[in-house]
Amino acid sequence: MYRNPLDLVRLFLSLFQDLPALPQRIYIPGAVLLIGYPVLAVVLGPDAQSQAFATAFLLALGVRIAIGFEGMVRRMLMKFSTGQTMALALAMAVLPLLVVAMASDPLWCQRIQSAFYVVIGGIFLSDVLKGRSDTAATFWPAEDMKGFLPNLTRMMVIYNFSFLLLNETMIRSLDVSHWLLFWAVLPVIGHSVLRAMVLTVINLDDDQARPV
């Protein structure tokens, strides 16, 4: 049995060694941003760097939303009616794009990522406070995951607010062009960390279920 925090940390880090290959689509938005920004910066000229940043980010964000749209709709259909799902899905897809399209300052683009973590983390936090696991069930609907849902709900609160802190730290400590690199690899980092955290929850729960 894992009896102290160091055991938990060792378990968490060891799980990165066994993670399967990431889906190729996860790299596409970052590639769009890293290619689009330099090209637009040259085309628009040195006096329009903010416009180049916002335009490249708009394209990359649109690609990211398009890639995840089907999965988002599928999860929403598990909690809402078809009409409610379409309204919420369109709002969540269109609103960030409108904000970026109207942005004159790159900071608005950077804060879109923070807003995402606030919204998703807030949803999971609401479930924790109400003693529910409804949202986690839409992410992990398999029957054999039901026993892990309460801890996965708590884990998602930690995950989202930790990445919120990370993004805000990067905004304050990095130049805008360097933050682009961070945003480009963020899905890869987030996906790997999330899978490792899920495996940690599963392994920890299984271990605690065994007699000592």
Side-chain angles (χ1 to χ4, degrees):
M1 185 173 181
Y2 303 104
R3 300 180 184 278
N4 61 66
L6 285 179
D7 289 326
L8 181 59
V9 172
R10 292 191 192 99
L11 169 64
F12 176 70
L13 294 177
S14 71
L15 292 171
F16 283 95
Q17 302 172 5
D18 303 318
L19 291 175
L22 299 176
Q24 292 183 352
R25 66 180 182 276
I26 205 170
Y27 300 97
I28 298 176
V32 170
L33 183 60
L34 294 180
I35 295 172
Y37 176 57
V39 170
L40 288 168
V42 172
V43 171
L44 297 176
D47 296 329
Q49 296 301 299
S50 294
Q51 183 181 351
F53 180 98
T55 304
F57 188 79
L58 178 65
L59 293 173
L61 183 62
V63 171
R64 181 178 288 184
I65 290 173
I67 290 173
F69 190 78
E70 181 181 352
M72 179 176 65
V73 170
R74 188 167 56 248
R75 287 190 294 271
M76 285 182 174
L77 285 171
M78 299 176 67
K79 295 183 66 176
F80 307 106
S81 68
T82 302
Q84 290 174 323
T85 294
M86 293 311 300
L88 286 170
L90 288 174
M92 293 185 70
V94 173
L95 185 59
L97 297 177
L98 286 176
V99 171
V100 175
M102 296 185 295
S104 57
D105 187 337
L107 184 61
W108 283 92
C109 301
Q110 296 173 302
R111 286 276 159 74
I112 285 290
Q113 189 65 41
S114 292
F116 169 81
Y117 291 127
V118 169
V119 171
I120 302 302
I123 291 172
F124 279 102
L125 180 59
S126 175
D127 279 0
V128 170
L129 295 176
K130 295 177 181 178
R132 303 183 312 194
S133 304
D134 297 354
T135 307
T138 67
F139 281 81
W140 298 280
E143 186 68 25
D144 58 356
M145 294 295 289
K146 282 188 175 180
F148 305 113
L149 292 181
N151 281 338
L152 288 173
T153 300
R154 300 183 188 96
M155 179 270 294
M156 287 298 286
V157 175
I158 297 171
Y159 171 85
N160 281 283
F161 285 109
S162 295
F163 271 85
L164 168 64
L165 179 60
L166 175 62
N167 188 56
E168 288 297 313
T169 301
M170 293 297 101
I171 290 173
R172 286 168 170 76
S173 60
L174 297 179
D175 182 77
V176 170
S177 59
H178 294 159
W179 182 86
L180 286 177
L181 292 173
F182 166 71
W183 191 88
V185 300
L186 186 57
V188 179
I189 298 171
H191 195 78
S192 299
V193 170
L194 180 59
R195 296 180 81 163
M197 291 180 76
V198 171
L199 290 174
T200 300
V201 169
I202 292 173
N203 280 276
L204 189 61
D205 282 357
D206 281 348
D207 181 74
Q208 289 176 340
R210 301 190 195 108
V212 179

